[in-house]
Amino acid sequence: MTFKHYFQFIGLVIFAIVLYRIDINKSLEIALSANVFIIFLSLLLGIPAIILRNIRWQKLLKNEGVNIPFMESLFIYFYAVFWGAITPAKLGELVKILFLNKKHISWGKSAASVIFDRLFDMVTILLLGITGVLLFFKDINGITYVLTAMLGIIIIIILIFVLNKNILKKVLFKILKKLAKRQESITHSKIQDIAEKEIDDLFASFKKPTILIIQNLLITLVAWGFYFFQLYLLTVALNLKIDLLTAFLIAAIITSLNLIPISISGIGTRDISLIFLFSQIGLSSPEAISFSVLILFTFFVNSLFGWLCGFFIEKNPLKVRPSNVS
């Protein structure tokens, strides 16, 4: 394994250190005393959030001239959630590109819809995270500047990545190269030619109607609202004394920090962030960890459902049916 592979597991190391330094029994006691019915309601809120994101993706697909049945794309989206949960920065959600390509949709059109779909989530949560930091820390101090700078740097990196044609071409080339290992007929030069053409198609798709961008931004914000309220219900289930606005600010901060690719499902980064944020409002480390454990539990349930959707897709003949492409 190379250094970049080890880098992805820094979060696990942080999590191990956190567990070593806190009262684990107290955390488990708090978590096990949670209201099961409220947790169930919280889990249900994850469904409309994904449905809204699928509506957003449908709009992006139609903008590319691609028509896929709503329920079929919804199953694919839930399956992508599974892969996103087990990969750093949720990069596994790009698996949607593979499903679109299997349906005879070009890499350029597939990548354009999926990349834009992911960018709506990433950019909005980063902006919400910065807003959360500024509002949560009423007194502007060093940590506020540091966190805000970190989030700002991430946004700049994303923009550079998206706008740089050569970087995207190299990334797509690596993806195609890995996928082509199973197809001996595809040569190195052919992969290079495919990458050149598809990146040109991708950049041709970068211009989006203003109304589409506004609609999808609104959809994204409502979807995040469902997710934030989902986390707020978990604080209610644990009987934590956190008001709705504070819970939303904390949710925005920890979710944006999860984009840093040093952990899987936010393990480690979320825990240490919650301990710090909870300390600012008079809550203990065991309470922070119990809350983090419940968040991880919701990830696990959503991922399990996503895996089941993937199993259905693999067995269902809809998967190989070509979609209508204008």
Side-chain angles (χ1 to χ4, degrees):
M1 294 180 69
T2 61
F3 174 75
K4 67 179 181 179
H5 292 106
Y6 290 113
F7 187 73
Q8 298 170 359
F9 295 99
I10 292 177
L12 294 177
V13 176
I14 296 174
F15 183 63
I17 295 173
V18 168
L19 290 182
Y20 177 75
R21 295 178 63 88
I22 68 164
D23 188 341
I24 299 177
N25 292 329
K26 182 63 176 178
S27 295
L28 290 175
E29 181 183 337
I30 296 172
L32 293 175
S33 66
N35 188 307
V36 177
F37 177 70
I38 296 179
I39 293 176
F40 177 72
L41 290 179
S42 174
L43 289 171
L44 290 180
L45 285 180
I47 298 175
I50 298 300
I51 291 176
L52 283 169
R53 287 182 167 87
N54 186 53
I55 292 174
R56 180 185 66 198
W57 190 34
Q58 281 270 315
K59 288 180 175 293
L60 291 169
L61 286 170
K62 289 179 181 178
N63 181 252
E64 295 296 330
V66 178
N67 294 298
I68 297 178
F70 184 84
M71 289 304 298
E72 187 175 354
S73 66
L74 183 61
F75 271 78
I76 294 173
Y77 213 108
F78 270 111
Y79 187 48
V81 169
F82 161 70
W83 283 105
I86 61 175
T87 52
K90 295 187 176 182
L91 293 176
E93 290 191 10
L94 298 180
V95 71
K96 297 195 291 288
I97 296 176
L98 300 180
F99 279 97
L100 291 176
N101 191 244
K102 287 179 181 179
K103 298 173 72 62
H104 310 300
I105 300 169
S106 73
W107 281 100
K109 287 181 179 291
S110 302
S113 69
V114 175
I115 288 175
F116 268 98
D117 181 67
R118 186 73 185 116
L119 278 177
F120 274 110
D121 272 336
M122 294 178 72
V123 172
T124 53
I125 194 56
L126 285 170
L127 293 175
L128 288 171
I130 292 173
T131 303
V133 168
L134 295 175
L135 293 179
F136 184 85
F137 297 97
K138 295 180 176 59
D139 298 322
I140 300 299
N141 50 38
I143 189 65
T144 304
Y145 286 124
V146 170
L147 291 176
T148 304
M150 286 175 58
L151 295 172
I153 290 171
I154 294 174
I155 290 179
I156 293 173
I157 291 173
I158 292 173
L159 291 176
I160 291 175
F161 181 86
V162 171
L163 297 177
N164 192 305
K165 192 172 183 178
N166 291 328
I167 294 177
L168 280 176
K169 190 178 296 183
K170 290 178 181 179
V171 172
L172 181 59
F173 178 76
K174 288 183 179 180
I175 294 173
L176 291 173
K177 190 174 181 180
K178 288 183 178 181
L179 294 174
K181 286 182 179 180
R182 300 179 181 179
Q183 303 181 39
E184 297 180 357
S185 59
I186 300 181
T187 62
H188 185 280
S189 59
K190 188 174 182 180
I191 295 174
Q192 186 69 48
D193 292 338
I194 293 174
E196 292 276 354
K197 179 182 180 302
E198 300 299 352
I199 288 296
D200 289 338
D201 288 345
L202 174 59
F203 270 77
S205 301
F206 270 14
K207 293 183 178 179
K208 301 292 182 186
T210 303
I211 186 64
L212 178 64
I213 294 175
I214 294 174
Q215 288 176 344
N216 283 348
L217 281 174
L218 292 174
I219 291 173
T220 305
L221 290 173
V222 175
W224 280 124
F226 273 106
Y227 177 68
F228 291 173
F229 193 71
Q230 181 183 26
L231 297 193
Y232 169 70
L233 285 181
L234 293 181
T235 68
V236 175
L238 290 168
N239 197 29
L240 300 177
K241 305 303 180 183
I242 303 177
D243 61 81
L244 182 62
L245 176 59
T246 302
F248 272 39
L249 296 178
I250 291 175
I253 294 171
I254 63 173
T255 306
S256 59
L257 290 176
N258 285 345
L259 293 178
I260 303 174
I262 61 173
S263 68
I264 297 173
S265 296
I267 297 174
T269 54
R270 180 179 57 251
D271 303 282
I272 196 70
S273 301
L274 281 174
I275 288 175
F276 174 74
L277 294 172
F278 272 33
S279 70
Q280 303 299 302
I281 56 176
L283 295 176
S284 66
S285 295
E287 288 174 315
I289 296 302
S290 62
F291 179 45
S292 184
V293 167
L294 283 193
I295 295 176
L296 185 61
F297 174 72
T298 62
F299 281 179
F300 173 78
V301 174
N302 291 335
S303 300
L304 179 61
F305 184 73
W307 179 83
L308 291 174
C309 288
F311 181 79
F312 173 81
I313 294 170
E314 292 295 334
K315 298 296 181 182
N316 194 297
L318 289 175
K319 181 193 73 142
V320 295
R321 187 187 66 204
S323 295
N324 296 321
V325 182
S326 302

